[in-house]
Structure formats: C-alpha cells, structure tokens
Amino acid sequence: ETAGYSPLILSEMDTVFMGTYAAGNIISGKLGDTFNPTTVLAIGLFGSGICLFLINISLWFDFLSFSLTLGNFFIIAVYFLFGFFQSTGGPVGTAVMGNWFCDKKSIESRGLIFGLWTCHQYCGDITAALCTAFVLGAGLDYTWAILIPALTNFAWGFLTMKLIADPADIGIITPEVAIRLEKLKAKQATQGSHIVDEGPAPITYAAALQIPMVAQYAFAFGFFKLTNYVLFFWLPYFLGKHFDPVTANLIASLYSVGMMPGGIIVGYVSDLFGGRRASVIGVFMSMLFVFLFVFSFKSEELTAIPLLIMLGIMGILVGGPNNIITSAVAADLASHPSVRGNNKSLGTVTGLINGCGSITASIGLLAVGPLQSVFGWGSVWLFLMGCTFTGTALMATKIKDELFPAKEEYAEVEANLAV
C-alpha cells in the first residue's frame, strides 16, 4: 500500500515471478552443468541484487507518479528478471553439493546431509524477517528492508566467485572422478595416449528424462509442491476468517516452522532404511492425507491449540518430501549407472524436477480461489487430498521396487556403495 501498487499488480508480480522462476530452474540447472557452477551462482546473486536495487530506484523516484503504466510495467519487468536470477540457487547449489559429497560415507548419509542443507532457505526467510523487523523497529524508511538484501546479494556474489565448485579442480580425486579416469585409461588403451581428459560432457534434457523415475518425480513433486503452495499462501487467509490477525499469523507460522525439520527427518529416516526415500515419502504423504481428511470436515470447528499442533505436524509432513525430492532424491537419480562418472547431470536433473514441479503447482493454484468460493473450504482440503494421492501414486513403481527389490538390484546397490 505504501508503495502505491494495486492488489492486481501485486498479484501479477507474484505470477510473473513464479513463472520465470519455474522456467529458470530448468534453464539454470543445465547452465550449472555446462559452465562453472560458482560463476552461475554468482551471476544469480549479482542479478538478484541488481533487481532489488532497481525496485528501490522505482520507489525512491516514485515512478508511479510519472506514469501509472510505466511504473507498473517497470516493476513487473524487474520481477520477470528476478525470477530467473533467483532460480539459480536450487539446482546449481545442489549440483555443487553433489560434487563434494559423493564418497561412500556421504552417499550412505545423503538424506541427512541434504536434509540439513535444505534448511538454508528457511534461514534466509528468518533472516529477511529479522531484517525487516529491525528496519521498521528502528524507524528507518521501509526501502532499507530491500536495500540491505540487495547489498548482501552483491557481497555474497563476490564471495561465491572464490568458492571451489568441484574438488577435482584442486586435485582431490572423488569416486566420480576416479570412474571418469578409468574410462579415460580404457579409451587411451584403444585410441592412443594422445587422448586427454576434457571432463564429462553435460547431460542433455532428453538424457536426463531417460533416467528412470526422473519424469515421475518431476510430476509427483508438482502435486506435492502445489499442496505446499496452497497451505503456505492460503492458510493466513483461511485462519483470518476465524481468528484475529495476530493469532491467525501465529497459527499459520507453525506450518512454516514445521517445514524446516521435515527435510532432516525424512532424510535421516530414509538413510536408516538404506536410501529407500520413495517409501519414506509415501508414508509421510499418507499421514498428510489423514490430516487433510480431518481438515475437510473439522477445519472450521478446530480451536487454536489443536490447529497449532496439526499445522506444525503438517509442516513436517509436507516440508520433508518437498525438501528431499529436490536434493537427496535428485542426487540419487543423478547417480544412476547410466550416468556414473558424469558429475554434469545433477544440476539438470534437479532443475527439471524443480522447474516442472513449480509449473504444475502454479497452474494448480488457479483452482483454489474458485473452489473455495463455490464449494467452500472443505472442497479445498479434498482437492489437496487428491493432489497428495496423485503425487504418491506417481511414485508407486519406485515404492514397489524399494520394498520388493529384484535380486539384480541388490548387486547394483552394493556396487554403487562400494565405489
């Protein structure tokens, strides 16, 4: 309101950002596998800082006072670019993590490692909230709450450029590099010693989609992410109908708080069961299905305390699968025998899963408003039950293979862990 943008423009800003963020994930993952990952990450940070700075310029000089059309077009254009720059973090960062944590012990603890790593996004949310609270509490102009993150992005971009994306760059021989060197020796034996190691070629989108379960996980993640989006964006609005604003925000925040340990729990438990992540995710989503069923009948009757408890648990049940699919699961998929020895696949796989999931979720969000307007909130919870069931069903073949593995799969698992 202070900035002068209408609710319609604010809605369009969110839509444009989510659209370019979704497409950007697919593109950024491929870029991270093709070029130096730290350079791609740095560009994302610099670009994000520039976008935030441009937003502040539009506020400082009050572009809307010059021309309503110009001001609205400028802010939407900035958000269009902002989505692309922001999309670099997830897939490219996951690829870098995969480069460093690929030894036997790390693979055995991959769920816990990536579960802990995914907490960074929530740390960012908390830091941003604290920054905003400090700015407003200190009586500073609200634009400082945008300028400080802009400067932080620039500073972190310079730091990122100094980081090492792949241990092989400093002479550390990881299992993936060892496999690549073995392939090089075999090629030299048949084609001559003049053959040199030029590094693995980046995997193509077609090759990534041919890895078993990548396409299924991409669509399953879309339904899980849609469930998360609906709960994250619509819970404050729903609760505001039954509680005062302070209580409504407090209750809704418990859902977000629950998401942080969710990835750690799913990752750790799946490690305990030998990396059977699809099975653990299936159990979590089945439990969520029960909670949503209760919500569909009792959500408007529950008091604050039961809601606090339920939403905290639901945050864990939703956050766990969402966080692990785009990290540990993606790393598992990128370690498939068809691409072993090629560390130029994880960014592309992560980007495809996250990008396709974001597109599916963005489209699904369009159904929530009409559903609750025509049929009431009970229909929204039933809709989320359908999303939960569909996403889990898409993983059914993987769950079956994990629970009843074929004999040859035992040998494959042992071979991967022995590397």
XYZ file of all heavy atoms in Angstrom, residues 53 55 60 70 81 107 111 113 156 186 191 204 210 243 261 264 284 313 331 335 392 394 397:
191
model
N 17.837 -3.595 -6.258
C 18.238 -2.191 -6.331
C 17.329 -1.415 -7.286
O 16.955 -0.270 -7.016
C 19.696 -2.094 -6.781
C 20.283 -0.727 -6.618
C 20.557 -0.216 -5.354
C 20.556 0.069 -7.722
C 21.092 1.053 -5.188
C 21.093 1.338 -7.577
C 21.363 1.838 -6.304
N 14.227 -2.101 -7.915
C 12.946 -1.914 -7.216
C 13.020 -0.681 -6.323
O 12.094 0.133 -6.272
C 12.590 -3.170 -6.392
C 12.268 -4.343 -7.324
C 11.405 -2.890 -5.464
C 12.107 -5.673 -6.607
N 12.203 5.104 -4.799
C 12.819 6.385 -4.438
C 12.343 7.512 -5.359
O 12.054 8.613 -4.899
C 14.336 6.276 -4.513
C 14.958 5.451 -3.432
C 14.454 5.221 -2.189
C 16.187 4.718 -3.509
N 15.297 4.400 -1.478
C 16.373 4.084 -2.256
C 17.156 4.544 -4.502
C 17.479 3.284 -1.983
C 18.257 3.762 -4.233
C 18.417 3.131 -2.982
N 3.898 3.175 -16.822
C 5.349 2.978 -16.763
C 5.769 2.317 -15.464
O 6.568 1.386 -15.447
C 6.062 4.318 -16.923
C 7.589 4.310 -16.691
C 8.268 3.425 -17.730
C 8.152 5.726 -16.726
N 12.694 -10.658 -14.545
C 14.117 -10.991 -14.489
C 14.496 -11.600 -13.137
O 15.330 -12.506 -13.059
C 14.957 -9.738 -14.753
C 14.817 -9.103 -16.139
C 15.586 -7.779 -16.188
C 15.327 -10.045 -17.217
N 27.307 -40.880 0.656
C 26.143 -41.452 -0.017
C 25.241 -42.162 0.983
O 24.009 -42.059 0.909
C 26.598 -42.430 -1.126
C 27.266 -41.645 -2.260
C 25.418 -43.234 -1.667
C 27.882 -42.525 -3.328
N 20.744 -38.462 2.735
C 19.469 -37.879 3.160
C 19.657 -36.856 4.267
O 19.104 -35.749 4.212
N 22.496 -35.301 5.112
C 23.326 -34.187 4.639
C 22.487 -33.180 3.868
O 22.516 -31.971 4.137
C 24.484 -34.710 3.772
C 25.491 -35.479 4.628
C 25.184 -33.556 3.040
C 26.542 -36.226 3.837
N 27.723 -11.429 -1.239
C 27.774 -12.890 -1.293
C 28.150 -13.373 -2.695
O 28.757 -14.423 -2.855
C 26.435 -13.484 -0.874
C 26.604 -14.813 -0.193
C 26.334 -16.040 -0.718
C 27.097 -15.041 1.131
N 26.626 -17.026 0.186
C 27.089 -16.446 1.339
C 27.528 -14.204 2.161
C 27.516 -17.016 2.535
C 27.944 -14.779 3.351
C 27.930 -16.163 3.524
N 40.850 -46.563 -20.369
C 40.349 -47.559 -21.317
C 40.327 -46.989 -22.733
O 40.678 -47.675 -23.702
C 38.947 -48.007 -20.901
N 42.610 -46.082 -28.264
C 42.716 -44.995 -29.245
C 44.062 -44.271 -29.204
O 44.322 -43.404 -30.031
C 41.586 -43.981 -29.037
C 40.196 -44.576 -29.171
C 39.100 -43.538 -28.961
O 39.315 -42.348 -29.175
N 37.929 -43.988 -28.553
N 22.151 -34.054 -21.573
C 21.073 -33.340 -22.267
C 19.758 -33.510 -21.510
O 19.626 -34.396 -20.658
C 20.898 -33.876 -23.698
O 20.496 -35.258 -23.634
C 22.211 -33.769 -24.484
N 15.446 -39.652 -19.555
C 15.518 -41.091 -19.762
C 16.013 -41.828 -18.525
O 15.888 -43.055 -18.438
C 16.433 -41.396 -20.952
C 15.813 -41.039 -22.300
C 16.784 -41.213 -23.455
O 17.916 -41.648 -23.267
N 16.350 -40.860 -24.652
N -9.980 -16.147 13.314
C -9.183 -15.640 14.425
C -8.770 -14.199 14.144
O -8.827 -13.734 12.994
C -7.928 -16.504 14.635
C -8.218 -17.953 14.932
C -8.223 -18.890 13.903
C -8.482 -18.376 16.223
C -8.487 -20.227 14.154
C -8.736 -19.714 16.491
C -8.751 -20.643 15.451
N 12.448 -28.826 9.980
C 12.957 -30.150 10.381
C 12.429 -31.281 9.510
O 12.951 -32.396 9.575
C 12.459 -30.293 11.820
C 11.227 -29.464 11.878
C 11.487 -28.296 10.963
N 15.080 -32.828 7.316
C 16.074 -33.551 8.123
C 15.519 -34.911 8.542
O 16.212 -35.931 8.458
C 16.461 -32.721 9.361
C 17.054 -31.371 8.939
C 17.440 -33.493 10.240
C 17.324 -30.430 10.093
N 4.967 -40.486 4.702
C 4.692 -39.114 5.125
C 3.451 -38.558 4.422
O 2.598 -37.918 5.054
C 5.901 -38.218 4.839
C 6.879 -38.132 5.975
C 7.504 -39.272 6.464
C 7.193 -36.914 6.574
C 8.402 -39.205 7.511
C 8.085 -36.836 7.631
C 8.686 -37.983 8.096
N 2.651 -30.332 12.634
C 2.910 -31.680 12.108
C 2.779 -31.701 10.591
O 3.585 -32.326 9.883
C 1.943 -32.699 12.749
C 2.187 -32.769 14.263
C 2.109 -34.077 12.105
C 1.188 -33.627 15.010
N 19.919 -36.237 -6.267
C 21.294 -36.750 -6.259
C 21.309 -38.261 -6.488
O 22.187 -38.788 -7.184
C 21.975 -36.407 -4.942
N 22.874 -40.299 -9.858
C 23.911 -41.309 -9.642
C 23.559 -42.629 -10.321
O 24.204 -43.646 -10.072
C 24.108 -41.553 -8.136
O 24.501 -40.370 -7.479
N 1.690 -39.325 -4.770
C 2.181 -40.586 -4.207
C 2.014 -41.723 -5.208
O 2.891 -42.588 -5.335
C 1.425 -40.913 -2.908
O 1.507 -39.789 -2.012
C 2.033 -42.123 -2.218
N 2.186 -41.561 -8.378
C 3.214 -41.451 -9.417
C 4.535 -42.104 -8.979
O 5.364 -42.446 -9.820
C 3.452 -39.979 -9.769
C 2.351 -39.319 -10.612
C 2.516 -37.799 -10.628
C 2.397 -39.861 -12.042
N 5.619 -47.172 -8.518
C 6.560 -48.181 -9.034
C 7.885 -48.144 -8.270
O 8.482 -49.191 -7.998
C 6.826 -47.957 -10.533
O 7.288 -46.603 -10.741
C 5.565 -48.174 -11.352
